[in-house]
Amino acid sequence: MLQTKQPVLRKFYYPVMPVSMLADGPKHVTLFGEPVALWLDADGNPSAAVDRCCHRTAKLSKGRVTDGCIVCPYHGWQFNRDGKCTYFPQSELEDPPKVYKIKAYRCEERYGHVWVALDEPWAGIPEFKRFGEPGFRQIEEFYHPIQCSALRLMENSFDNAHIAFVHHNTFGDNKDPVPAAMRIEKNETGFDMYSEVPVTNKLNSVVKVIDVEEAVTVRKTHSRWFLPFIRQTDITYPTGLVHSIVTCATPIDDASCMLTQFVFRNDTEEDVPAEKVIAFDRAVVTEDMAVLESTEPNVPLDLKLRLETHMFSDKPGILMREMLLDLLKEHGEEEVLPRFGTPQVYKIELKA
């Protein structure tokens, strides 16, 4: 599957930018290959529209905001959050012609981020547990592009088998490569996965963010996958510390996405400064990216094509592929694969 070639994936909300970044004026992002302009309206709410003026195609994100409308830098045309042109200075007309409009997108603020859906949403913005719960704080961690497809990042987030190898220098142990057992339960938004994962405290001995002194501890994890490219993993340590990671992969094009990650923790800044929490998770993400950015953009959903092989611990990724394939079929779509050739299935005949 090529992520920008499946129209149904446009029917979901994705975080595209921390809302604080709009305080000094409009910004540009690329979502599914589409140029999008973002700005704050008169009420301080984020707005989103195609980053292209309908007059002479100048980028609106290079303009400014006046009275909650984005102003084209080329000829000064103004557009509101619904895409309607409210004023153009070259005429004394009180109401600009109705054809003077741009495509506006559904846009909301949640969790301190701007969320955009390019088409009529099939699902709402996910509800994350821990948000607003007494005793929990939210720490902003990452917002930057990564060079891998969104589904690669998602299945990696549920992959217990890679921990021993990719994260050997931080919390894995390659001398114990058997992945932790898992329990998976499907739900309306995706599925829940439960595991108890033994980990080393190598990274914690350097960047102390967990109140554990032993060389090894156990993480109780509850990970929830939200179709198509969002996950929340609740990690509970024996001390009662909860480190709840929200990871979102927002497609930019077929080969890249925007990584947005924040965490909820039931400790305080005095207990563990946010910069240490970010440094801890940055070390882990850096290890993941070293491998994920070497993978191919196409993630084949149809297992019958046998473009990739699988093992038992791949069950979460396999379920993601099956559910995404069902989603495509439900919306009358077929999986779009690269054009470099027709996949071949090789048969091996054993002779007596």
Side-chain angles (χ1 to χ4, degrees):
M1 178 189 75
L2 297 175
Q3 58 193 22
T4 69
K5 306 301 189 295
Q6 308 292 170
V8 68
L9 298 180
R10 297 163 55 98
K11 296 179 179 292
F12 291 85
Y13 279 100
Y14 299 90
V16 294
M17 182 175 289
V19 71
S20 60
M21 293 180 65
L22 297 180
D24 61 351
K27 295 293 185 296
H28 169 90
V29 297
T30 301
L31 181 58
F32 286 93
E34 300 261 349
V36 178
L38 305 170
W39 74 97
L40 297 177
D41 68 14
D43 296 321
N45 297 316
S47 307
V50 64
D51 197 3
R52 176 187 182 278
C53 183
C54 61
H55 176 222
R56 287 295 183 268
T57 75
K59 288 188 178 298
L60 297 171
S61 59
K62 291 183 175 292
R64 66 185 191 279
V65 177
T66 298
D67 298 327
C69 294
I70 194 166
V71 182
C72 179
Y74 198 0
H75 295 95
W77 291 24
Q78 298 183 16
F79 301 89
N80 65 15
R81 65 175 294 117
D82 296 321
K84 182 181 184 299
C85 180
T86 58
Y87 171 73
F88 70 113
Q90 292 77 25
S91 172
E92 297 180 355
L93 290 174
E94 187 171 328
D95 291 317
K98 291 182 180 180
V99 294
Y100 288 13
K101 60 183 179 181
I102 58 174
K103 185 174 183 179
Y105 302 118
R106 292 155 190 82
C107 183
E108 296 184 30
E109 178 185 354
R110 193 78 58 86
Y111 313 112
H113 291 261
V114 181
W115 295 71
V116 174
L118 294 180
D119 290 333
E120 184 67 33
W122 185 80
I125 298 172
E127 298 289 337
F128 299 129
K129 66 178 182 178
R130 310 304 183 187
F131 175 71
E133 289 187 21
F136 279 84
R137 57 175 169 149
Q138 180 175 337
I139 299 174
E140 294 297 321
E141 290 197 316
F142 316 130
Y143 169 72
H144 61 79
I146 56 176
Q147 300 304 308
C148 74
S149 57
L151 187 51
R152 294 285 184 202
L153 178 61
M154 282 297 103
E155 65 178 3
N156 179 77
S157 300
F158 290 79
D159 178 14
N160 285 344
H162 84 291
I163 294 173
F165 301 96
V166 175
H167 302 302
H168 174 69
N169 292 323
T170 51
F171 64 94
D173 183 2
N174 59 19
K175 295 179 180 178
D176 184 18
V178 178
M182 70 189 90
R183 175 169 57 90
I184 299 179
E185 299 174 355
K186 291 178 67 174
N187 59 47
E188 292 182 354
T189 63
F191 61 74
D192 293 278
M193 186 179 98
Y194 302 86
S195 287
E196 292 191 12
V197 185
V199 297
T200 70
N201 281 321
K202 284 176 276 192
L203 177 58
N204 188 57
S205 66
V206 179
V207 185
K208 294 186 178 296
V209 299
I210 305 165
D211 188 18
V212 175
E213 298 299 329
E214 293 80 5
V216 178
T217 190
V218 175
R219 293 176 170 181
K220 290 186 177 181
T221 65
H222 169 205
S223 299
R224 172 165 288 184
W225 176 55
F226 299 88
L227 270 162
F229 307 129
I230 296 174
R231 69 100 185 213
Q232 181 177 20
T233 293
D234 244 29
I235 301 172
T236 304
Y237 291 94
T239 59
L241 173 68
V242 176
H243 183 83
S244 187
I245 307 171
V246 174
T247 302
C248 310
T250 299
I252 298 172
D253 52 32
D254 282 326
S256 66
C257 55
M258 187 65 70
L259 168 63
T260 298
Q261 182 165 302
F262 48 91
V263 299
F264 303 110
R265 283 175 64 103
N266 61 344
D267 59 3
T268 66
E269 182 71 14
E270 290 71 28
D271 295 328
V272 181
E275 64 182 57
K276 284 193 172 185
V277 177
I278 296 169
F280 186 97
D281 283 345
R282 167 59 69 193
V284 175
V285 169
T286 299
E287 291 175 326
D288 281 323
M289 288 306 109
V291 177
L292 287 175
E293 291 189 332
S294 74
T295 61
E296 297 176 357
N298 176 47
V299 184
L301 303 183
D302 191 345
L303 303 184
K304 295 190 296 295
L305 296 176
R306 300 183 185 177
L307 294 178
E308 297 179 354
T309 54
H310 307 279
M311 57 184 174
F312 179 79
S313 60
D314 293 327
K315 187 176 180 180
I318 291 172
L319 185 54
M320 288 179 186
R321 297 171 191 224
E322 291 174 344
M323 294 181 72
L324 282 167
L325 200 57
D326 288 342
L327 179 71
L328 298 185
K329 292 177 180 178
E330 182 180 342
H331 288 81
E333 296 181 30
E334 294 184 355
E335 179 181 7
V336 177
L337 297 167
R339 295 180 178 180
F340 51 70
T342 303
Q344 298 184 25
V345 177
Y346 295 94
K347 294 183 179 180
I348 301 176
E349 295 183 2
L350 299 177
K351 297 183 179 180

